[in-house]
Amino acid sequence: MSARQNRGPGAETDPGTRTETGTRTGPRAAAAAPTGRPGGTTVLVIAKEPRPGRVKTRLTPRFTPEEAAQLAAASLADTLDTVLAVPARRRVLVLDGEPGPWLPPGMEVIPQVAGGLDERLAAAFGQCTGPALLVGMDTPQLTPALLAPALGARAWLDCDAWFGPAEDGGFWALGLAAPDPALLRGVPMSTAGTGAAQRARLTSAGLRVRDLPLLRDVDTPDDAERVAADAPATRFAAALAGLTRTGAR
């Protein structure tokens, strides 16, 4: 969902949000208010199987493909921990690849369809009935508190969509009160303008959009260091520290 992603990314609107018209537990688990829509909101995670050579390829050559896969697995684990800690109608992993022992209980798994990222995101929303919020696997700093505005009791009051912008120009989250695959198909992905184009698609359809906080995706070694420093209690930060101690450059 980020501008750099390749295939092979509260009850009240808080100060980090704005509006424009047009169960697993862990150290980061936090309570969140129930959604205001009957049946709740489906939370989707779009991800790749963390297999060497298929994930986090931009972390090489500083890290080997195996080390990059370890970091991807840790980032995905942090993301799934957060998703399992928030209230949701369903929790669905939309996976490119095969599930493995890294998959925690409590997640449904559906395969990604073939095609570009826009088609894969569109198909994920097409699997949903009722409100849905989609996140990627590249933001291990994600917490229940960051998702709370889009999952709280007033999340869908006077709001049709939630948008989480990424620092690289993409987006890390997208929520739709009434999922419509046409809102994603044809949006140019993996560019510095991806986020702006996707948000413009929403507002041009007449949707009332609220924004989640700006986050940094992990795509490069510099991203990894910055995110780990900002979220030192994550599995991702521990994995990065472990690699650094064992001599990764």
Side-chain angles (χ1 to χ4, degrees), residues 23-239:
T23 310
R24 181 184 178 91
T25 60
R28 298 188 301 148
T35 180
R37 286 271 176 138
T41 296
T42 294
V43 180
L44 305 163
V45 180
I46 189 158
K48 291 181 183 180
E49 176 188 358
R51 204 166 74 196
R54 298 191 70 250
V55 291
K56 294 287 167 245
T57 56
R58 294 189 64 194
L59 293 178
T60 59
R62 177 172 171 184
F63 299 97
T64 68
E66 290 74 20
E67 291 166 342
Q70 290 177 40
L71 292 172
S75 181
L76 179 55
D78 284 325
T79 303
L80 296 180
D81 278 350
T82 290
V83 169
L84 288 164
V86 299
R89 178 180 184 178
R90 298 166 61 200
R91 299 172 181 86
V92 183
L93 177 64
V94 188
L95 184 64
D96 176 6
E98 297 297 326
W102 48 266
L103 180 68
M107 296 293 303
E108 300 176 43
V109 180
I110 62 174
Q112 291 184 27
V113 302
L117 182 56
D118 63 319
E119 290 290 344
R120 289 180 280 134
L121 296 178
F125 277 106
Q127 299 269 355
C128 301
T129 300
L133 177 69
L134 181 143
V135 299
M137 64 179 286
D138 297 333
T139 49
Q141 70 271 46
L142 189 63
T143 62
L146 285 169
L147 294 180
L151 296 173
R154 300 175 62 85
W156 302 108
L157 297 179
D158 301 318
C159 177
D160 305 305
W162 285 91
F163 184 78
E167 288 188 11
D168 65 0
F171 60 96
W172 64 269
L174 179 63
L176 297 173
D180 179 359
L183 291 168
L184 293 105
R185 291 195 178 108
V187 173
M189 297 288 167
S190 303
T191 76
T194 291
Q198 181 62 73
R199 199 177 190 288
R201 175 69 68 86
L202 302 176
T203 57
S204 66
L207 302 189
R208 298 162 297 177
V209 182
R210 291 182 182 175
D211 289 321
L212 293 166
L214 181 72
L215 293 184
R216 176 185 286 265
D217 283 332
V218 173
D219 289 307
T220 68
D222 181 62
D223 294 332
E225 291 174 355
R226 288 172 178 260
V227 168
D230 288 342
T234 58
R235 298 188 194 199
F236 180 81

